[in-house]
Amino acid sequence: MFKQKVYVKRRAALKEQFQDGILLFIGNEESQILVRDTVHKFRQNANFLYYWGLNEPGLAAVIDIDNDKEILFGHDLTTEEIVWEGEQQRLHEKAELIGVRQTAEIANLKNVLLNYRKGRKAIHYLPQHHANNIIKLSELLNKNIGPVKTDYSVEFTKAVIAQRSIKTTKEVAEIEKALKISHSTQTAAMKKSRPGKYEYDIVKNMEKILLAKNSRWAYLPIFTVDGERLHNHHYGNKMAEGQLVINDSGAETADSFYSSDITRTFPISGKFNKRQKQIYEIVLQSQLKAIAAMKPGVKFWDIHLIAAKVIAKGLTKIGLMKGDVDEAVEAGAHALFFPHGLGHMLGLDVHDMEDLGEDFVGYDEKTKRSKQFGTAYLRFGKELQPGYVMTVEPGIYFIPSLIKQWEKEGKFTEFIDYERVKEYIGFGGVRIEDNILVTETGNRVLGKPIPKTIKEIESLMNK
Ligand code: GLY
Ligand code: MN
Ligand code: MN
């Protein structure tokens, strides 16, 4: 948690954006696996964390703009509840930590909101994704589920995104703490991976490192020799000589909850073979060129296209693609190999603020989302600004079904040599991901460098 004044200042800046009405913040509840006592580890909603800092269930908060009041809603445990939960700080003590003077019992929130509504005050709330928060809002506002989902406040949503998008020095320091942990997990994974080990052996080893730092995954890690399956959370493969493994894993800091999001790809044997080297180098150059072009005022959309063109050019050079590179990328032919977007914002959420709406975060009047396969998955296209923290994560994958389908459809035969491409089925994939701060003049790759060149990776794996 940050110091009290950080939260006071964040709320003050938000309040300045509104003339009147009520800003309502809904904290997360425990998320049940089975029943009340069988739960996932608790994680507070990031918007709540940003303004109210407290990582515990059963909270809500209100900013009454007209009367310049902030109220934290929660519950002081009864003795019977203390038997199970243990002693806790009183609600007013928790409020003190974040500079809030007024507290109220959460059971009274519905009545408080009813009185606001009777007073004809607009109640602004943010888009909600967890089913229990949607139900909670429905009960609190006496509204059906459908309208609860759609009647969120666009004004409030945009104000929060504008504020959370610009990371302060303190926030960047937290992301770098998460990256320090990622440095340890990523390098340990390279050192420990060997033919004959299972993927879960390495995931277990990385998890030990997280726990030793009282940290946890920022998202379910991807650690797989089947790198062409983009969202693969299976760790059951026995790793073999000649395979590459994709390690896309990030840490969340212990008590401030900022994330890292790092991908490295390396050969299980510790040595890239010739074909792996060729593909890896293309992805690496794509990532380096993309990063080099990042600065304020440039659209991330254009950075995505820079990365795509390096990929198309590299694949043309080795005979998998053909024709004019610019035309191939314009048409979307590169997406056979690079079917996802270049990156996204990073912060308290690994895909930062996407619960508030991907298009609100990543697009604006000047930049509209593409409909083309591949680029349509670009989560963020708009102009970069100083203070943005972005991931840059190009990749090349050989996805058997996609290759077969495009070939069958005769798609982009002017740009793709399917006979050559089919020779790569079984290759898997390569992705390289780093976390980049946009500065006033350019950018800075955050964290201590994690081995990334072929030479660095092979040298670490063969020490
Ligand atoms: N780890 C998810 C992503 O890279 O976006
Ligand atoms: Mn990632
Ligand atoms: Mn990412």
Side-chain angles (χ1 to χ4, degrees):
M1 225 175 141
F2 293 118
K3 291 200 177 116
Q4 191 194 63
K5 66 174 187 227
V6 170
Y7 302 103
V8 171
K9 270 194 183 162
R10 285 175 176 178
R11 294 191 301 269
L14 178 67
K15 281 189 275 190
E16 273 180 21
Q17 309 301 312
F18 293 85
Q19 307 302 321
D20 49 35
I22 304 297
L23 306 181
L24 170 63
F25 295 80
I26 298 289
N28 280 346
E29 297 303 326
E30 295 280 14
S31 173
Q32 294 181 0
I33 301 168
L34 182 62
V35 288
R36 197 188 61 185
D37 299 328
T38 322
V39 291
H40 294 283
K41 192 162 162 57
F42 179 78
R43 168 48 147 90
Q44 185 59 282
N45 170 275
N47 299 305
F48 198 91
L49 272 180
Y50 184 84
Y51 294 102
W52 310 89
L54 302 167
N55 182 53
E56 57 188 88
L59 299 175
V62 153
I63 298 179
D64 176 345
I65 299 287
D66 309 73
N67 297 303
D68 195 15
K69 267 205 240 168
E70 298 173 337
I71 313 169
L72 177 70
F73 289 81
H75 173 68
D76 281 322
L77 298 184
T78 62
T79 306
E80 194 178 336
E81 286 162 339
I82 288 170
V83 171
W84 298 98
E85 308 290 331
E87 293 285 354
Q88 282 190 15
Q89 282 175 308
R90 311 286 293 171
L91 186 59
H92 73 86
E93 292 168 314
K94 294 175 190 169
E96 172 69 22
L97 296 174
I98 51 170
V100 174
R101 288 207 202 93
Q102 200 173 339
T103 60
E105 165 60 47
I106 189 92
N108 296 334
L109 178 57
K110 185 169 179 165
N111 266 337
V112 171
L113 294 176
L114 184 66
N115 283 334
Y116 285 138
R117 293 210 315 278
K118 280 187 188 153
R120 304 208 163 275
K121 293 193 186 188
I123 298 176
H124 301 281
Y125 62 87
L126 298 169
Q128 301 295 323
H129 285 270
H130 280 302
N132 42 19
N133 281 348
I134 293 170
I135 295 168
K136 203 192 312 181
L137 259 185
S138 160
E139 285 167 356
L140 284 171
L141 300 175
N142 238 339
K143 241 178 166 176
N144 288 333
I145 297 281
V148 161
K149 285 198 208 165
T150 52
D151 291 355
Y152 59 84
S153 159
V154 173
E155 190 191 0
F156 186 12
T157 304
K158 286 187 171 171
V160 170
I161 290 172
Q163 198 176 350
R164 281 184 57 191
S165 290
I166 310 293
K167 270 59 179 182
T168 60
T169 314
K170 283 192 178 78
E171 291 181 285
V172 172
E174 289 301 317
I175 293 171
E176 291 206 287
K177 275 188 206 163
L179 281 163
K180 195 167 174 210
I181 303 171
S182 286
H183 186 282
S184 302
T185 54
Q186 289 278 352
T187 51
M190 286 179 195
K191 286 188 206 157
K192 301 263 176 203
S193 291
R194 286 293 171 267
K197 289 213 173 178
Y198 284 87
E199 292 162 345
Y200 57 73
D201 290 327
I202 310 303
V203 176
K204 173 196 75 182
N205 201 272
M206 292 197 289
E207 212 159 85
K208 253 167 70 181
I209 294 171
L210 292 181
L211 286 174
K213 304 273 180 210
N214 194 22
S215 168
R216 59 172 153 171
W217 297 119
Y219 51 92
L220 207 52
I222 296 165
F223 188 90
T224 180
V225 293
D226 297 323
E228 79 286 2
R229 301 182 190 181
L230 298 186
H231 281 171
N232 187 356
H233 300 130
H234 172 264
Y235 316 122
N237 292 311
K238 193 175 189 176
M239 302 188 290
E241 184 84 32
Q243 289 179 317
L244 287 174
V245 67
I246 283 188
N247 181 9
D248 182 346
S249 54
E252 184 182 87
T253 52
D255 61 359
S256 66
F257 308 98
Y258 283 81
S259 295
S260 57
D261 183 7
I262 293 290
T263 307
R264 287 293 182 269
T265 306
F266 54 90
I268 301 300
S269 66
K271 283 266 174 217
F272 288 84
N273 64 31
K274 188 168 165 237
R275 195 178 256 192
Q276 290 168 344
K277 271 187 185 163
Q278 279 181 331
I279 301 296
Y280 190 89
E281 271 304 330
I282 298 171
V283 178
L284 181 60
Q285 289 314 315
S286 160
Q287 200 227 22
L288 294 175
K289 287 239 164 73
I291 293 171
M294 286 175 68
K295 60 180 182 187
V298 176
K299 283 188 181 184
F300 197 63
W301 176 298
D302 292 327
I303 307 288
H304 171 84
L305 291 180
I306 288 173
K309 283 181 189 173
V310 176
I311 285 173
K313 194 170 164 194
L315 292 175
T316 302
K317 221 169 171 178
I318 61 170
L320 275 63
M321 291 186 74
K322 53 190 178 176
D324 183 82
V325 166
D326 291 344
E327 284 174 21
V329 170
E330 167 98 35
H334 65 284
L336 178 63
F337 310 98
F338 175 35
H340 59 73
L342 184 65
H344 49 84
M345 278 194 150
L346 177 76
L348 277 170
D349 296 311
V350 63
H351 287 181
D352 208 26
M353 301 177 283
E354 283 181 4
D355 62 325
L356 297 177
E358 225 175 280
D359 282 1
F360 284 135
V361 178
Y363 291 88
D364 58 15
E365 280 313 308
K366 285 201 269 180
T367 315
K368 298 287 171 202
R369 187 184 281 263
S370 165
K371 290 193 167 53
Q372 187 184 73
F373 175 78
T375 309
Y377 291 114
L378 182 62
R379 298 169 182 281
F380 192 105
K382 68 189 187 191
E383 274 178 21
L384 297 171
Q385 283 186 42
Y388 284 6
V389 175
M390 307 293 304
T391 69
V392 175
E393 47 181 307
I396 293 180
Y397 315 86
F398 294 91
I399 305 166
S401 314
L402 192 62
I403 295 168
K404 284 175 197 154
Q405 173 157 340
W406 278 30
E407 186 187 24
K408 201 167 111 199
E409 290 171 2
K411 212 164 161 177
F412 299 130
T413 46
E414 68 278 38
F415 299 123
I416 295 166
D417 184 334
Y418 285 99
E419 287 313 313
R420 288 294 317 280
V421 172
K422 281 191 290 187
E423 291 168 15
Y424 284 71
I425 285 180
F427 178 97
V430 172
R431 179 166 62 257
I432 307 172
E433 176 174 22
D434 283 303
N435 306 157
I436 319 295
L437 170 69
V438 180
T439 61
E440 293 292 336
T441 51
N443 71 73
R444 178 162 77 83
V445 181
L446 296 177
K448 180 175 154 193
I450 298 168
K452 187 158 80 166
T453 64
I454 289 178
K455 203 167 148 206
E456 286 164 354
I457 292 173
E458 288 188 345
S459 139
L460 180 71
M461 292 185 77
N462 293 290
K463 246 188 197 151

